[in-house]
Amino acid sequence: MLKNAKIGVKLGVGFGFLIVVIAIIAIIAISSQLRVSERVSYLLEVNLEKQNHGNEVVTQLFTNASAYKSIALGENIQEQRAIIRETSAEVASRIDIVERLLNPNNREEAALWTNALNARAAYRNVLGVMDAYIEADDLDSVIAFITGEFTDRQQDYLRSFESFADFQANFMQTSGQAIESQIAQSIMTLVIVIVISLLIAIIFAVIITRMITKPISECVDVAQNLGHGHTNVKIVVDSKDETGILKEAMRTMASAIQGVYEDCIFLSGEAAAGKMSTRLDIRKHDNDFSKLVAGINGILDAIAAPLKETMEVVDKLANKDLTVRVTTKYPGDFDTLMQNMNQAAKTLEESLVQVDMAVEQITAASNEISSGSQVLAEATSEQASSLEEISSSLEEINSLTGNNADNAKSGLKLADQAVMSVDASNEAMEKMNKAMEAILKSSQETGKILKNIDEIAFQTNLLALNAAVEAAHAGDAGKGFAVVAEEVKNLALRSAEAAKTTNDLIDDSTRNSEMGARIVEQVTKSFIEMKEQFNKVKSIVNEISASSDEQAHGVNQISTGVNEMNRVTQQNAANAEESASAAEQLTSQAAELKSMVATFSINKRASGGTFRAAPTKNLHVTSDRRQAPAQISHAKPKNAYEVKPEAMLPLDSFDDDFDDFK
Amino acid sequence: MSKDAMLETSVFEGKYLTFNLMDEFYGINVDRILQIIAIPDITKIPKTPPFVKGVINLRGKIIPVIDLRLRFKLPEQEYDDRTSIVIIKIKTEKGEVFIGIIVDKVREVLDIHANEIEKTPTFGVELDTQFILAMAKVKNNVVTLLDISKILTDIELTQIKNVA
């Protein structure tokens, strides 16, 4: 029921609920506040007052009692009695006030109060007796009385008023606690009420807000879809408020747009399918939409008529009648189209005339190409055989180079061995040198020994002489001894002689050894030179080896090059063959083309004057194979067809040039 | 040779020790000779004539040594392994004196006969030849036989003796 209400009603219900809740909360808070303040003021005005007056009565009683005690102690009686009167009047007035404030419903208080009044009456009786004693100036009796009955009555009186005051205090305390609990209870009630109200308010807010915003956002989606070109939109009207009306309007708008869109799609589909006679129903659409549809129908009408004529002309062109043209005049771009069409037909006709002529030229040119290709093929085969010869020569060179490198390597090995031999020889020479030195040394040793022998021989000689001298001294007795001495002397001389000879021999051997050492030195030097030379030989052989390797590498490169050349030559041969067969094919195709062109009905006069002939010399093919490639490259169509109109040849001179092909 | 000559020369007959000085042969009668030794270390004596080379110790005996080359005013020669000392004894009025004579080379002990000996030739001029006894021809060599006691003057002998 709320769903179908107007937005104003929905908002009124929501806000009204909130106002009622706030009022209820305010009433609850104020009433509990009022109750509490009433009770507190009662406590302050009545109970506290009663307690104060009770306490004051007790104070006055103390003063009164002390006044009597002073009289008993013999102080100024008149002064004390004035004080007593004053206190009695004060007490009477307090009691009057309390009487007025008494709560008639409180029995305990009434009982306490009656008790207090009775205690007061008893005390006053005692005071009467006391006053009589004072009047009589009987102070001893006064003292006795004070210490006796007077004190008892005074105590009773005091206690009764104290208990009344205590009652008041207790009553106030319990009342205060009651007030506190009442405040707490009312706060709790308030909190509960507020929480519940808030929850309900939130629920209301959410429901109402959703009821308003959801349909609006749906409408926004629909509008955006339409804006982005999506005409197929779904709108469900599920309420009767303002949003429902808005949705209904949106649905109407969408269906109108969708109708126009669907009609346009349908018509364009028909047009695309070639059904140009289909038209749209204007009555299905209202106002501006109907004008739009009528315009579209008009476009189709404008296209269909020229299209029909075009179709007829093209049909004739398709049947190889190139003389047909469009004759009707059409507005705007259709006129351009028709003129272009006529131009196309005309150009096609002219082209065919040109093709007819060109085919003749092609036939001649392809014959030339055929013969040129044959010459090229022959030359290529010659080149191939030459290349084969080069290749075999290169192989020979390669094997020779390999031998060279191998020989160089063996030479290197031999040189190494020679160097090693020289080193070995050098070592042997050194050993020999050492041996000779040893010989020299032992010769010197032997020389020393010989010198010793010589010395000994000399000494022996001296001994022999001494013996001879002694023998002489002995006279005849020494004769035999003299002979022995002579013999010894001779032996000594011979020894010396032998030593000398040996020494000479050793000297010779020393000289020979020295000479040998010199020779060894020379030989060693020669060997070192030899080693150096061998090293040089090694480096030279190394160079030879490296050069051989390089040579082999070079020969390999040449070989690769020749192989490449061979491949290219083969390719060339194949190409020449292909070119020959292509030329043949070209000839046959040119013939076919000519027969095809003959099937067209064309007006040769119409286009003969504008025929664009290529300069014929560019198509010229000679049989000279050295020039052939250059000539062929000149024959590329790029140059042939870039001739400007001014350079075009008249028909008669063209015929003359044609003779060059014969 | 005449008989007189034989008689004259027979005085010099006997055994001689031959030795060389400057390739010349000399001879000393073996009676004068005590011993022949190789040249030992010589202790030099100052303030003596140059031909006195010094003294040697021969088995505990101090013996003065003279160089015969220098005494004969021949050129001095360095001593070699053939240089020898001939120890001789000279009789003086004061007793026997031992002297060592340095010679180039001792040769041999020869028996020289009277027929081999000739008197000392006169050289025509007055030369000091009193220390030569005679000349002998042995094996194609001429040997000058020396009177060794005349080699030194008395004064020299005294000097030498004092040295010893």
Side-chain angles (χ1 to χ4, degrees):
Chain A
M1 58 190 176
L2 193 61
K3 207 169 190 183
N4 291 330
K6 303 278 177 197
I7 291 172
V9 176
K10 284 172 188 166
L11 291 178
V13 168
F15 282 114
F17 172 78
L18 273 183
I19 290 162
V20 169
V21 166
I22 290 167
I24 289 167
I25 291 167
I27 288 162
I28 291 170
I30 290 165
S31 68
S32 76
Q33 206 51 213
L34 282 175
R35 260 182 286 147
V36 168
S37 89
E38 198 181 323
R39 288 192 69 171
V40 169
S41 67
Y42 180 77
L43 281 181
L44 289 176
E45 284 166 14
V46 179
N47 294 71
L48 189 63
E49 201 73 2
K50 283 189 272 189
Q51 189 198 2
N52 285 344
H53 290 300
N55 283 337
E56 189 59 34
V57 168
V58 171
T59 312
Q60 294 300 329
L61 183 59
F62 271 119
T63 316
N64 182 272
S66 69
Y68 277 106
K69 277 170 192 165
S70 301
I71 291 169
L73 290 172
E75 282 177 21
N76 192 342
I77 294 169
Q78 292 310 315
E79 200 178 307
Q80 298 303 326
R81 288 191 78 161
I83 293 169
I84 290 166
R85 274 194 302 272
E86 221 172 276
T87 56
S88 295
E90 186 70 30
V91 167
S93 78
R94 299 283 174 178
I95 286 171
D96 276 355
I97 294 165
V98 172
E99 285 271 314
R100 269 183 275 130
L101 292 172
L102 279 177
N103 184 0
N105 299 327
N106 198 327
R107 278 186 198 168
E108 197 183 353
E109 189 189 36
L112 282 171
W113 185 245
T114 315
N115 191 26
L117 289 183
N118 289 343
R120 188 182 176 233
Y123 182 59
R124 285 185 75 90
N125 288 338
V126 173
L127 286 186
V129 179
M130 193 80 141
D131 285 336
Y133 283 134
I134 292 165
E135 289 290 336
D137 208 13
D138 184 1
L139 289 179
D140 290 337
S141 299
V142 170
I143 292 163
F145 201 71
I146 282 176
T147 51
E149 201 181 349
F150 176 81
T151 307
D152 292 341
R153 294 284 86 78
Q154 190 202 8
Q155 288 298 319
D156 288 344
Y157 186 16
L158 207 62
R159 266 196 292 275
S160 70
F161 267 87
E162 271 174 356
S163 61
F164 180 76
D166 285 347
F167 170 78
Q168 293 304 333
N170 281 335
F171 185 81
M172 278 194 286
Q173 201 177 350
T174 47
S175 296
Q177 278 167 358
I179 290 163
E180 268 174 27
S181 73
Q182 195 182 353
I183 289 168
Q185 203 184 337
S186 64
I187 286 169
M188 184 57 79
T189 314
L190 264 178
V191 165
I192 290 166
V193 169
I194 287 166
V195 166
I196 291 166
S197 317
L198 276 178
L199 286 175
I200 293 168
I202 287 165
I203 290 164
F204 262 107
V206 168
I207 289 169
I208 291 166
T209 308
R210 282 182 66 105
M211 276 176 175
I212 295 163
T213 53
K214 203 188 159 202
I216 288 173
S217 76
E218 274 175 26
C219 287
V220 167
D221 284 348
V222 167
Q224 267 175 354
N225 276 334
L226 283 173
H228 289 133
H230 303 294
T231 58
N232 187 15
V233 290
K234 222 180 202 176
I235 301 166
V236 181
V237 181
D238 49 1
S239 67
K240 286 175 184 162
D241 59 357
E242 288 91 335
T243 58
I245 296 162
L246 179 61
K247 277 167 128 183
E248 186 62 51
M250 291 295 281
R251 187 158 68 177
T252 313
M253 182 173 89
S255 74
I257 291 170
Q258 203 172 358
V260 172
Y261 161 74
E262 273 167 8
D263 273 359
C264 288
I265 289 293
F266 165 73
L267 191 64
S268 61
E270 290 285 287
K275 297 175 191 166
M276 299 305 283
S277 57
T278 312
R279 296 290 179 274
L280 295 176
D281 187 1
I282 298 170
R283 289 165 298 171
K284 266 167 70 182
H285 304 284
D286 305 325
N287 301 328
D288 287 347
F289 285 133
S290 72
K291 283 180 200 165
L292 173 64
V293 169
I296 292 168
N297 281 342
I299 292 169
L300 277 176
D301 290 340
I303 294 169
L307 197 61
K308 201 179 168 205
E309 188 163 2
T310 309
M311 273 161 66
E312 283 165 10
V313 169
V314 169
D315 192 41
K316 278 183 186 165
L317 283 176
N319 287 323
K320 297 186 179 177
D321 180 6
L322 300 181
T323 55
V324 73
R325 297 287 184 274
V326 180
T327 49
T328 322
K329 198 87 175 131
Y330 291 101
D333 286 345
F334 289 113
D335 184 46
T336 316
L337 172 65
M338 293 310 159
Q339 276 179 14
N340 286 349
M341 183 88 183
N342 285 345
Q343 187 62 41
K346 196 179 159 198
T347 311
L348 197 56
E349 196 181 7
E350 285 171 10
S351 301
L352 270 173
V353 171
Q354 284 178 12
V355 166
D356 190 42
M357 285 171 180
V359 164
E360 273 171 42
Q361 286 183 358
I362 288 167
T363 310
S366 67
N367 283 337
E368 286 290 326
I369 290 169
S370 184
S371 69
S373 296
Q374 233 163 325
V375 172
L376 182 61
E378 275 167 33
T380 309
S381 81
E382 262 176 53
Q383 195 182 352
S385 71
S386 301
L387 280 175
E388 233 162 274
E389 272 173 42
I390 291 171
S391 192
S392 69
S393 301
L394 277 176
E395 250 165 65
E396 256 175 62
I397 292 170
N398 207 2
S399 75
L400 286 176
T401 311
N403 279 354
N404 247 10
D406 287 350
N407 288 342
K409 269 164 203 158
S410 333
L412 203 60
K413 249 182 227 166
L414 288 175
D416 269 337
Q417 280 173 359
V419 168
M420 266 152 66
S421 303
V422 167
D423 282 346
S425 302
N426 254 340
E427 263 175 47
M429 281 294 158
E430 232 166 86
K431 277 183 198 162
M432 193 163 151
N433 217 354
K434 271 181 194 158
M436 288 213 192
E437 268 172 32
I439 291 171
L440 217 58
K441 206 174 171 192
S442 46
S443 295
Q444 282 165 358
E445 293 287 322
T446 315
K448 274 181 202 162
I449 292 163
L450 283 175
K451 210 169 178 198
N452 276 345
I453 292 170
D454 190 53
E455 184 101 19
I456 291 162
F458 171 66
Q459 297 281 358
T460 313
N461 189 32
L462 283 188
L463 281 175
L465 284 177
N466 276 324
V469 168
E470 287 301 322
H473 286 174
D476 282 346
K479 266 189 182 162
F481 190 59
V483 174
V484 174
E486 179 71 24
E487 282 305 310
V488 172
K489 184 181 173 296
N490 285 341
L491 282 175
L493 285 177
R494 272 169 63 190
S495 289
E497 197 63 30
K500 196 170 176 289
T501 316
T502 313
N503 206 16
D504 288 349
L505 286 174
I506 281 172
D507 278 354
D508 275 355
S509 115
T510 306
R511 264 198 302 283
N512 287 338
S513 287
E514 276 166 1
M515 198 183 285
R518 271 200 299 281
I519 290 164
V520 165
E521 207 175 306
Q522 277 176 358
V523 171
T524 309
K525 221 180 268 174
S526 304
F527 272 135
I528 287 166
E529 274 173 34
M530 227 157 117
K531 196 180 164 185
E532 275 170 22
Q533 275 156 5
F534 273 129
N535 278 334
K536 273 186 202 165
V537 168
K538 257 172 75 182
S539 74
I540 288 164
V541 170
N542 256 335
E543 271 174 42
I544 291 171
S545 182
S547 303
S548 293
D549 283 349
E550 256 175 62
Q551 202 178 345
H553 185 61
V555 168
N556 268 338
Q557 277 181 337
I558 293 170
S559 205
T560 318
V562 168
N563 279 340
E564 184 63 19
M565 267 164 82
N566 209 3
R567 202 182 59 74
V568 171
T569 307
Q570 299 286 351
Q571 186 71 38
N572 270 356
N575 286 348
E577 245 169 75
E578 266 178 48
S579 153
S581 73
E584 258 170 59
Q585 250 180 314
L586 190 60
T587 311
S588 71
Q589 278 172 358
E592 211 178 311
L593 192 57
K594 189 155 177 64
S595 69
M596 273 167 70
V597 169
T599 61
F600 283 93
S601 63
I602 47 174
N603 187 353
K604 284 193 182 183
R605 250 172 226 284
S607 48
T610 59
F611 174 62
R612 297 172 180 191
T616 49
K617 60 179 175 183
N618 285 349
L619 287 171
H620 187 76
V621 178
T622 69
S623 56
D624 186 344
R625 68 172 130 118
R626 279 174 302 174
Q627 287 177 9
Q631 290 289 343
I632 286 164
S633 75
H634 278 303
K636 280 181 182 171
K638 184 187 166 194
N639 286 342
Y641 291 104
E642 274 181 358
V643 180
K644 290 174 182 171
E646 308 89 74
M648 278 190 297
L649 297 164
L651 198 54
D652 51 354
S653 66
F654 169 77
D655 282 341
D656 289 341
D657 283 347
F658 224 79
D659 289 341
D660 286 353
F661 279 114
K662 288 165 190 172
Chain B
M1 193 184 282
S2 67
K3 211 159 178 190
D4 291 344
M6 282 284 282
L7 277 173
E8 259 177 76
T9 56
S10 67
V11 181
F12 304 118
E13 240 183 15
K15 286 185 185 291
Y16 284 85
L17 174 71
T18 58
F19 59 87
N20 289 118
L21 279 178
M22 289 280 286
D23 298 330
E24 302 302 332
F25 286 82
Y26 295 89
I28 298 173
N29 196 308
V30 292
D31 292 341
R32 300 276 186 188
I33 295 169
L34 183 70
Q35 203 181 353
I36 307 154
I37 57 169
I39 192 154
D41 286 341
I42 298 171
T43 308
K44 290 196 171 75
I45 305 294
K47 285 186 116 181
T48 50
F51 60 87
V52 179
K53 281 306 188 181
V55 292
I56 61 167
N57 180 353
L58 184 68
R59 292 193 293 277
K61 232 173 158 180
I62 301 298
I63 295 169
V65 180
I66 63 168
D67 191 327
L68 206 55
R69 271 183 176 246
L70 295 182
R71 187 69 191 100
F72 288 170
K73 307 232 167 75
L74 295 171
E76 198 175 359
Q77 183 199 304
E78 217 169 294
Y79 301 148
D80 58 18
D81 54 3
R82 292 287 178 251
T83 310
S84 304
I85 296 177
V86 180
I87 313 290
I88 55 168
K89 51 187 176 202
I90 297 171
K91 283 186 183 125
T92 64
E93 298 102 43
K94 292 172 186 170
E96 278 185 335
V97 175
F98 292 100
I99 298 170
I101 296 166
I102 297 170
V103 300
D104 284 3
K105 191 177 183 182
V106 286
R107 302 299 296 197
E108 56 199 321
V109 176
L110 284 178
D111 251 334
I112 297 178
H113 303 285
N115 58 350
E116 293 168 327
I117 300 168
E118 280 184 20
K119 281 185 78 179
T120 312
T122 51
F123 293 99
V125 286
E126 206 161 319
L127 289 172
D128 184 10
T129 57
Q130 56 172 332
F131 59 88
I132 299 172
L133 286 175
M135 309 295 278
K137 293 172 288 179
V138 184
K139 300 173 195 168
N140 299 328
N141 288 324
V142 177
V143 180
T144 308
L145 304 177
L146 297 172
D147 182 358
I148 203 69
S149 57
K150 298 273 178 56
I151 285 171
L152 298 172
T153 61
D154 289 343
I155 301 161
E156 284 168 351
L157 267 175
T158 315
Q159 280 176 345
I160 288 165
K161 207 177 170 223
N162 288 343
V163 167

